[in-house]
Structure formats: C-alpha cells, structure tokens
Amino acid sequence: MKMTESTEDYLETILMEQCRLGKVRSIDVVNAMGFSRPTVSIAMKKLTENGYVIVGDGGCLTLTERGRAVAESVYERHRVIARLLMTIGVDEETAYADACRMEHDMSEETFSCIKEHFQKYCT
C-alpha cells in the first residue's frame, strides 16, 4: 500500500483518538474526520489488509507497530510545525490547519531542520 496523505491522516487520527478515548472504533474515526461510515470502513479494511491496523473485539481499532510508527511520526510533524507557526504569530486554529497540510509534503531533511531549530530557539 502506497503511503498517501489520506493513509497518514487515518493513522494519525486513530492515534489521537486512542489518546483521547482509550478505545477507538470506526465510528470515532468517522466523527473525528467527518467522513461517511462507508468511506471509513473501506479505509479501515485497506489499513488492516496492509498491516497498519488490527480490528479487534467489538470493532476496536489498534495500531500495529508499523501503523503506530507512521502515526507517531506524522503527529510529531503536526505538533512541531503548528507550534513553530504559533511562535511566529499564526493563530492556533490556523496553525494546526496549515500544519496538517504541510506535514505530509516536506522531506525528512526539512522536518529535521525545522525540529532542530524549534528546539534550539523556540522552547
């Protein structure tokens, strides 16, 4: 399965909802992302088939080690970029929305430099 922005967003959402709710089901992903049930169902099937998610008892979603690694990486990018944007004056809502778009398209090298700069000068 090709790692797409959509795949990354689903995995990140599952991680964030696990932190918020503990147990996550597809309906929680539907509510968090605003997609239809059938759309999320198809995505969860693909994520399961490709080893990113396990669907357990009662439909609870669990990230596999592989899925968690992707989700944590994307979530870290999201948080660092948003926090950096806020330090330069971007309001919180806009910073998080922009970070969501930016987190997917930058290289590891660029993110590493942004993270290093943020840690050195902004914390």
Side-chain angles (χ1 to χ4, degrees):
M1 176 178 203
K2 184 177 185 247
M3 189 56 60
T4 63
E5 182 176 328
S6 177
T7 300
E8 289 178 346
D9 283 342
Y10 276 110
L11 295 172
E12 181 185 24
T13 299
I14 293 168
L15 176 67
M16 291 187 318
E17 291 301 294
Q18 281 179 334
C19 292
R20 192 173 73 83
L21 301 171
K23 293 183 178 183
V24 179
R25 295 175 304 129
S26 289
I27 190 65
D28 301 314
V29 176
V30 167
N31 293 333
M33 297 184 82
F35 297 154
S36 70
R37 287 180 185 206
T39 298
V40 171
S41 179
I42 290 167
M44 290 308 111
K45 182 177 182 194
K46 288 179 183 176
L47 291 172
T48 300
E49 289 172 352
N50 288 284
Y52 293 107
V53 173
I54 296 168
V55 180
D57 295 336
C60 289
L61 306 174
T62 303
L63 294 169
T64 63
E65 188 175 315
R66 181 178 176 202
R68 179 169 287 283
V70 172
E72 287 175 350
S73 174
V74 174
Y75 188 49
E76 177 186 37
R77 284 174 174 241
H78 194 135
R79 288 188 335 265
V80 169
I81 294 166
R83 288 173 54 207
L84 181 62
L85 292 172
M86 287 185 280
T87 65
I88 62 171
V90 178
D91 72 271
E92 184 175 358
E93 184 178 344
T94 301
Y96 276 98
D98 287 347
C100 189
R101 288 185 291 276
M102 295 167 68
E103 69 195 19
H104 303 286
D105 292 326
M106 69 177 55
S107 69
E108 271 302 317
E109 178 184 1
T110 299
F111 177 68
S112 179
C113 290
I114 287 172
K115 182 179 171 182
E116 185 178 315
H117 177 85
F118 182 78
Q119 290 172 337
K120 189 173 185 179
Y121 298 107
C122 301
T123 56

